[in-house]
Amino acid sequence: MLYDFGNFSIMKLSNPASIYELIMMALELPESEWNETNGPKEEMARFVAEFLPTKSEMLQDLFSMQIDKNGNLLTIPYLLEDYVPSFEGLPSYLLRLSSNVNWEEEEECFDTICIETSRFYAFPKYSFESSDDDSEDAIDIDGELTIKDTQVCEKTNDAEPSGTAQSWKFTVEHLLFPAFRIGFQPSSENATNGNILQIADLPELYKVFERC
């Protein structure tokens, strides 16, 4: 995200998504850690639905995330060509943007938004389990709002959702690794502490083959 910061492409939702309804969905999930001491879910969802639009100008300018005046999410950043994240994680993503981002300190604000956006784009755990049922890829709110990975954005209508059990291996091989080869630059610490290891060096291997 650092390479394209402030210059992300746009992934446009096929239909505006109500932030209030998405937050209500997120609060139903165990990972939200909601309990009665936090107050009514409706009040929390209303707060987030009113709060995020106040940051819409910055979110649109720097992260290509457009929110309309009615509290609907219209677009999200498009981080990698042909890669479609699992939209099951969209409700939790918006909830974390409201709770896990430090909106008071500029540098930490940008850093935490990047972290939460990266979490949203990461493969969900179920991606690595074999399954013939893709019904979990849909989000349906009161029979009205439906978000499905294969239909959610205009830019990638023909793409298979990158977070499904059928596609994650293909995605890693043909989308992620080529992107790593072009733009991945580990920090000096990670490059020397053993977290990242060089397995092969093709130019050196070619030299070996030439000698054979």
Side-chain angles (χ1 to χ4, degrees):
M1 293 190 68
L2 296 179
Y3 281 104
D4 292 326
F5 187 78
N7 192 36
F8 297 110
S9 297
I10 291 175
M11 183 180 293
K12 184 176 180 180
L13 305 186
S14 57
N15 295 295
S18 166
I19 293 176
Y20 175 84
E21 294 179 347
L22 289 171
I23 297 300
M24 286 295 292
M25 293 182 63
L27 293 173
E28 295 292 334
L29 302 174
E31 65 189 66
S32 72
E33 299 183 348
W34 176 88
N35 58 63
E36 294 182 357
T37 61
N38 300 130
K41 295 178 181 178
E42 292 79 6
E43 289 186 11
M44 294 184 65
R46 191 174 300 111
F47 169 79
V48 176
E50 294 174 354
F51 172 75
L52 287 181
T54 66
K55 307 297 182 181
S56 61
E57 184 175 356
M58 183 271 285
L59 289 171
Q60 182 172 353
D61 288 345
L62 299 180
F63 295 96
S64 298
M65 181 178 293
Q66 185 177 358
I67 300 173
D68 68 19
K69 61 182 180 180
N70 297 318
N72 296 313
L73 181 66
L74 306 180
T75 66
I76 62 171
Y78 189 41
L79 301 187
L80 182 62
E81 188 72 23
D82 293 330
Y83 181 89
V84 181
S86 172
F87 278 78
E88 275 192 355
L90 185 59
S92 294
Y93 172 49
L94 293 178
L95 180 61
R96 292 196 303 269
L97 284 183
S98 66
S99 61
N100 292 3
V101 171
N102 183 347
W103 294 96
E104 304 300 323
E105 301 292 334
E106 183 177 80
E107 183 175 348
E108 188 172 350
C109 174
F110 296 160
D111 182 56
T112 46
I113 292 176
C114 286
I115 289 173
E116 295 306 331
T117 303
S118 298
R119 288 183 63 185
F120 169 56
Y121 264 81
F123 286 126
K125 292 180 180 179
Y126 67 77
S127 300
F128 309 103
E129 301 173 0
S130 296
S131 173
D132 295 326
D133 185 3
D134 286 337
S135 61
E136 294 300 318
D137 291 335
I139 295 176
D140 193 351
I141 304 174
D142 295 332
E144 298 178 356
L145 174 63
T146 301
I147 301 175
K148 188 167 179 61
D149 291 348
T150 51
Q151 301 173 348
V152 74
C153 67
E154 295 180 351
K155 193 164 186 179
T156 54
N157 283 338
D158 296 329
E160 182 181 1
S162 303
T164 63
Q166 290 82 359
S167 69
W168 75 266
K169 293 181 180 179
F170 177 90
T171 299
V172 168
E173 180 179 355
H174 296 282
L175 297 181
L176 298 186
F177 275 118
F180 292 159
R181 188 163 52 246
I182 295 172
F184 178 60
Q185 292 187 3
S187 65
S188 56
E189 179 182 356
N190 282 325
T192 58
N193 62 6
N195 286 341
I196 299 174
L197 300 175
Q198 178 175 306
I199 299 175
D201 183 341
L202 288 181
E204 292 300 319
L205 287 177
Y206 289 144
K207 292 180 182 178
V208 173
F209 294 147
E210 288 173 358
R211 292 196 296 267
C212 294

